[in-house]
Amino acid sequence: MGCLVSTAKDSGGNRRTPGSIGEVSVYVPGLRIPKPVDFAQSLGDCLSKSIVERLSALRTRIVVMAAQEGPTITRTKRKSATQHGGSTLADLQQALEDYLPVLLGLVKDGSHLQYKVQFVWVNQEDDAEETAMFNAWYEVLSVLHLMAMLLLLQANLLLLPRTSTDGYQPKVSDESRRASVDIFLKAAGYLDCAVRHVLPQLSAELRRNLPVDLAEGVLRALCLQALGQGVGIQLGMAIDSAKATLAVKRRLACEMVKYWQQAQDNIMNLSFANGWGEKHCLYVKWEYVEAKKMIYQAAAYYYHGMILDEGNTEKSHGMAVAALQAADEYFKESKKLCEAFNAATPLSRSPPLWGTMKYLSEKIPKDTSSKVRINRDLYTYERIMETAPTLPDFTLALKPDEYQLPSADTSWRSENMNGVQTDSNHVRVTNDKT
C-alpha cells in the first residue's frame, strides 16, 4: 500500500550537517525534517476546504519551524530551551501534538484517504536521500519519532552540568534529574507506541523500505536507550542518597546494562551508511560498553565487590578483589570508547564529570587499590580469583509511559468522504524527482 520515493537530497537549502554538536549527555540521531505537502491538490476534491486548510496550516507550521530551528536545536545551546517551557523545543513539540489528531482523520476507520497524500521527510544529517510515501501512517510514524527525539533533546539540555550558585563545580540539580526521568519515560512511550501500534499498519513492503531511522530495530533501541538512561539517573540519585544501600545501587547498575544490552541487540544487525547512522552505532556501542564495563562491570562489580568484602571468609574477600579489579579495568576501557565516540562525525564532547561519573571515577580506582593491597597481604596471590564472579540477574523495573494515539479531531465528524475512491493496493515507485 502506498507509494515510496527515495531520492538524493537537494544540494541547496538549509540542510547543513553540523560539524560539531557540542556537549552530549544524551545523544540524539539527526532530526527527521518534513518537507512541504500540497494538501489542496491531493485532497481538494475529497474534503471540505476548511479541513484541507487546517491540515495545511498545521503541517506548514511544523515544516517552517523544523527547517528554521532544526540545524540549531540539535546543538547543545542552553539558551535554546528551558525546563519551564516557552522554548523552541516546546513550541515544536506542541505543534506536532496539535497536528496529530487532525492527521489521524486521514486513517480513521481505514479510510482510503490515507493513500492520497505523498508525505516527504528527510534526515538533517543524512546527505544521501529523502523518503516519500503515499501513506498517512508513514506520516504518523514520522511525527511520533520526531516527538520522541525532541524529548531526548530536552533531556540532554537538562542533564548538562551548570555552574552552581555557590561557586562549586558544575552539576545537575536534583529537580532536573527527576524531570529528565519523566521525559525519558514519555519518549519511550512514544517510541513503544510507534512500534506496537503504527508500524503494523504499514505493509511489509513499505516497512522494508522505511528509512533506517524508522526501522523497527532502531525504534526499539531508542526506546531502550531512554529507559536505560532513566535508570542511570536513578542510580546517580541513589549514590547521592545516604539511605540507599549497596544492594539497591548494585541492582540499578545491573538493570542499566540489561537495557543497553537489549538496545545493542536491536541495532547491531542493521545496515548504516556513514554519518549519523555510524555515529549512533558508536554511541550505542559506547553507552552499552559504558553501561556494561563501567556501570555493569564497574559500578555493579564495584558494589558487588563491596558487598562481598563484608563477608568474613577468605573466599568472599577473594571474590571481592576480583570484582573490584574487573570494575577498574572496564572503567578504563569505557574511557577509550568514549573518546572514539566523540571523535566521530559530527564531533561532540562529554560534559565535565559530575555526580555518578565523578564519584565512580574517584572511588573505583581508590577502593580497588586499597582492597587488593589489604587482601593480598592477608591471602596468597594464588587464592585471589582471576575471573570476576557472576553478577546477580534482576528483572527490569522501568517501563515506558503508556501512550495511546489520540482520537481523530472532532472536525472530521462533519466530513463527507463518499467521493473518495482509491485502490488500497496501489503501489507506485518513482526513481527520481522532477
Side-chain angles (χ1 to χ4, degrees), residues 21-29 72-78 80-81 89 148-162 172 176 179-181 183-184 187 225 229 233 283 286-287 341 348-351 354:
I21 53 177
E23 292 182 356
V24 171
S25 178
V26 182
Y27 180 69
V28 182
T72 60
I73 60 178
T74 51
R75 298 172 187 154
T76 50
K77 295 181 180 179
R78 293 186 180 90
S80 297
L89 292 174
M149 296 306 99
L150 292 175
L151 286 177
L152 294 182
L153 284 169
Q154 184 180 348
N156 183 58
L157 289 165
L158 285 173
L159 295 175
L160 293 178
R162 304 166 187 264
V172 177
S176 292
S180 72
V181 174
I183 290 172
F184 284 131
Q225 167 189 324
Q229 288 177 309
I233 299 302
Y283 174 68
W286 166 55
E287 280 287 3
F341 164 72
S348 57
R349 61 182 183 273
S350 299
W354 66 278

Side-chain angles (χ1 to χ4, degrees), residues 111-130:
S111 170
H112 287 191
L113 288 174
Q114 65 183 282
Y115 310 112
K116 296 282 288 182
V117 183
Q118 184 185 57
F119 294 100
V120 186
W121 289 70
V122 61
N123 190 294
Q124 72 172 114
E125 291 182 15
D126 184 350
D127 59 2
E129 65 178 25
E130 63 187 28

Side-chain angles (χ1 to χ4, degrees), residues 35-147:
K35 300 193 73 175
V37 165
D38 189 344
F39 285 105
Q41 182 179 9
S42 303
L43 300 172
D45 295 335
C46 309
L47 298 173
S48 66
K49 182 179 179 180
S50 62
I51 201 163
V52 170
E53 289 180 344
R54 190 173 182 205
L55 276 167
S56 181
L58 289 169
R59 195 177 192 276
T60 299
R61 179 186 174 202
I62 296 169
V63 170
V64 171
M65 291 179 66
Q68 290 178 345
E69 306 297 342
T72 60
I73 60 178
T74 51
R75 298 172 187 154
T76 50
K77 295 181 180 179
R78 293 186 180 90
K79 67 179 180 181
S80 297
T82 70
Q83 65 187 92
H84 301 296
S87 66
T88 298
L89 292 174
D91 290 343
L92 184 51
Q93 187 84 23
Q94 186 61 55
L96 292 163
E97 292 176 5
D98 293 343
Y99 172 55
L100 190 55
V102 184
L103 168 65
L104 286 168
L106 294 177
V107 300
K108 183 181 179 183
D109 301 324
S111 170
H112 287 191
L113 288 174
Q114 65 183 282
Y115 310 112
K116 296 282 288 182
V117 183
Q118 184 185 57
F119 294 100
V120 186
W121 289 70
V122 61
N123 190 294
Q124 72 172 114
E125 291 182 15
D126 184 350
D127 59 2
E129 65 178 25
E130 63 187 28
T131 304
M133 291 186 181
F134 279 94
N135 195 304
W137 282 113
Y138 166 65
E139 177 84 343
V140 174
L141 182 64
S142 298
V143 167
L144 286 178
H145 179 270
L146 183 52
M147 289 168 67

Side-chain angles (χ1 to χ4, degrees), residues 378-396:
L378 294 174
Y379 311 116
T380 62
Y381 176 79
E382 290 74 16
R383 298 303 300 273
I384 302 297
M385 292 180 62
E386 293 296 328
T387 303
T390 301
L391 289 165
D393 184 23
F394 296 104
T395 302
L396 298 176

Side-chain angles (χ1 to χ4, degrees), residues 2 9 24 35 53 82 117 159 165 167 174 180 194 211 228 238-239 245 284 321 333 339 348 416 418:
K9 78 159 191 176
V24 171
K35 300 193 73 175
E53 289 180 344
T82 70
V117 183
L159 295 175
T165 56
D174 288 344
S180 72
I239 288 174
T245 64
V284 172
V321 168
E333 181 65 20
E339 292 172 359
S348 57
N416 181 358
N418 293 332

Side-chain angles (χ1 to χ4, degrees), residues 268-374:
M268 64 186 302
N269 294 323
L270 293 170
S271 175
F272 289 92
N274 291 333
W276 81 265
E278 180 182 355
K279 180 78 171 182
H280 191 216
C281 281
L282 280 172
Y283 174 68
V284 172
K285 179 181 179 182
W286 166 55
E287 280 287 3
Y288 162 64
V289 175
E290 182 187 44
K292 181 179 181 180
K293 296 187 176 182
M294 190 185 80
I295 302 301
Y296 182 12
Q297 304 281 16
Y301 270 133
Y302 171 73
Y303 290 118
H304 193 46
M306 297 301 287
I307 290 173
L308 289 170
D309 199 57
E310 292 177 345
N312 294 318
T313 67
E314 180 177 349
K315 180 179 180 181
S316 66
H317 289 302
M319 293 172 67
V321 168
L324 291 169
Q325 288 176 319
D328 191 45
E329 288 300 317
Y330 291 133
F331 182 76
K332 294 174 182 176
E333 181 65 20
S334 72
K335 291 183 179 179
K336 298 177 183 178
L337 292 164
C338 176
E339 292 172 359
F341 164 72
N342 284 327
T345 303
L347 300 178
S348 57
R349 61 182 183 273
S350 299
L353 289 179
W354 66 278
T356 307
M357 299 303 105
K358 184 172 179 61
Y359 174 84
L360 292 174
S361 69
E362 296 171 352
K363 291 291 290 182
I364 288 176
K366 178 181 178 181
D367 288 349
T368 298
S369 176
S370 174
K371 296 296 181 183
V372 168
R373 184 178 65 254
I374 292 172

